[in-house]
Amino acid sequence: TAKLSPEKLLCQLRDRVNVTMIEGSDGPFDTSEWQQYIPGKSLNETVGRLGRCAVVSSAGSLKSSHLGQEIDSHDAVLRFNGAPIKGFQEDVGQKTTIRLVNSQLVTVEEQQFLREELYNTGILIVWDPAPYHAEIHEWYRKPDYDFFESYKLYRSIHPEQPFYILNPKMQWQLWDILQENSLEPIQPNPPSSGMLGIVIMMTLCDEVHVYEFLPSKRQTDICHYYQKFHDRACTMGAYHPLLFEKNLVKHINQGTDEDIYMHGKVTLPGFRNVHC
Ligand code: NCC
């Protein structure tokens, strides 16, 4: 039930959502203290130009999907939070180019985050729910989860691994577009990691395939492919406006409905290939 045509919606996403990482020259991070932690190279420089990319949701419906090989055939793969690979290669593949983690994981699960090998592969990006359209300074003073010390600790243990902080402006630029294209008021909370990851990959890649964000015929109440936990809210959303995110992604899908039904697969153009 989006109001704009798919083409116009893609243009809005391309032109209004500014996907940037915190840089050493940004606001409160421009201190000598922070300089040693913020990566010197930009994300773009680090990944280079990417062709075909995959975004792998953590949904329970990935279980028994046998999508592993197809996922690994991409130039780059983005995964979320603590989503594991070991023991699940057949369904989710093993390549990890970028892992997007939320600030809750980095703080509340700090011990695992610092210890588990899972996080040592690829590029890490952390994001934190910021106040609506807050300036970086305001957000820095009151982050949702105060992950900055854990971030520094991780950076000092793994100085060679690229680890970025997502500029918090992006989440509300994206939220505004979600709200404008929904018939009802949506949750006043930032989009899910899934939705943020999709838009991050659309800025880096020529083409993006998203797996089991829109559930296939394997749709299940099991929250994650790696846990036995049941909760419908995982797929439909509670805190995050997940249902509205999914409606929007369905609207701009360039693949077939059969691809969704059979493989939970959505095809999106990279912003480089969106002409407005
Ligand atoms: O569960 P989570 O998400 O890590 O999942 C990553 C993204 O996959 C998509 N997803 C997941 C499950 C499902 N059944 N359907 C889906 O479409 C969503 O797009 C989701 O964003 C998050 O967004 O960061 C979230 O993180 C977890 C949790 O913090 C982390 O896993 C770390 O432990 C949140 N769960 C709780 O707080 C209990 C979740 O609400 C959102």
Side-chain angles (χ1 to χ4, degrees), residues 57-59 80-81 102 104-105 109 192-194 213 223-224 234-235 240 242 246:
S57 97
S58 304
F80 299 100
N81 296 318
N102 66 41
Q104 183 185 16
L105 180 142
E109 301 170 38
S192 71
S193 297
F213 183 66
C223 185
H224 296 128
C234 292
T235 302
H240 298 293
L242 195 55
K246 293 184 184 206

Side-chain angles (χ1 to χ4, degrees), residues 43-111:
L43 176 61
N44 258 309
E45 286 174 277
T46 303
V47 298
R49 190 195 171 122
L50 297 173
R52 296 171 63 249
C53 297
V55 173
V56 185
S57 97
S58 304
S61 46
L62 272 158
K63 205 151 175 52
S64 307
S65 68
H66 305 284
L67 285 166
Q69 265 198 349
E70 175 172 335
I71 289 169
D72 280 344
S73 76
H74 290 81
D75 300 320
V77 178
L78 181 138
R79 303 179 192 275
F80 299 100
N81 296 318
I85 290 156
K86 271 199 190 123
F88 302 96
Q89 288 99 325
E90 173 70 18
D91 292 331
V92 303
Q94 53 188 352
K95 189 183 280 186
T96 305
T97 314
I98 303 181
R99 185 174 288 274
L100 179 63
V101 297
N102 66 41
S103 55
Q104 183 185 16
L105 180 142
V106 173
T107 50
V108 180
E109 301 170 38
E110 179 179 357
Q111 291 316 308

Side-chain angles (χ1 to χ4, degrees), residues 198-214:
I198 290 168
V199 178
I200 291 172
M201 287 315 242
M202 289 174 80
T203 68
L204 298 174
C205 310
D206 294 328
E207 184 177 54
V208 181
H209 292 136
V210 187
Y211 292 93
E212 293 289 1
F213 183 66
L214 300 188

Side-chain angles (χ1 to χ4, degrees), residues 133-195:
H133 287 302
E135 284 304 316
I136 299 180
H137 279 93
E138 183 193 346
W139 162 70
Y140 185 75
R141 269 184 267 114
K142 44 174 187 201
D144 195 33
Y145 286 91
D146 197 345
F147 68 96
F148 298 115
E149 289 311 310
S150 306
Y151 173 84
K152 289 180 188 167
L153 204 50
Y154 190 100
R155 287 288 291 150
S156 50
I157 304 171
H158 305 282
E160 301 305 324
Q161 186 182 9
F163 187 0
Y164 296 94
I165 302 171
L166 187 63
N167 191 315
K169 293 201 163 202
M170 172 199 174
Q171 53 190 270
W172 293 109
Q173 293 165 345
L174 181 53
W175 187 92
D176 282 345
I177 295 175
L178 285 164
Q179 177 61 86
E180 288 165 18
N181 288 280
S182 301
L183 295 171
E184 317 157 41
I186 69 173
Q187 292 94 316
N189 301 318
S192 71
S193 297
M195 190 68 217

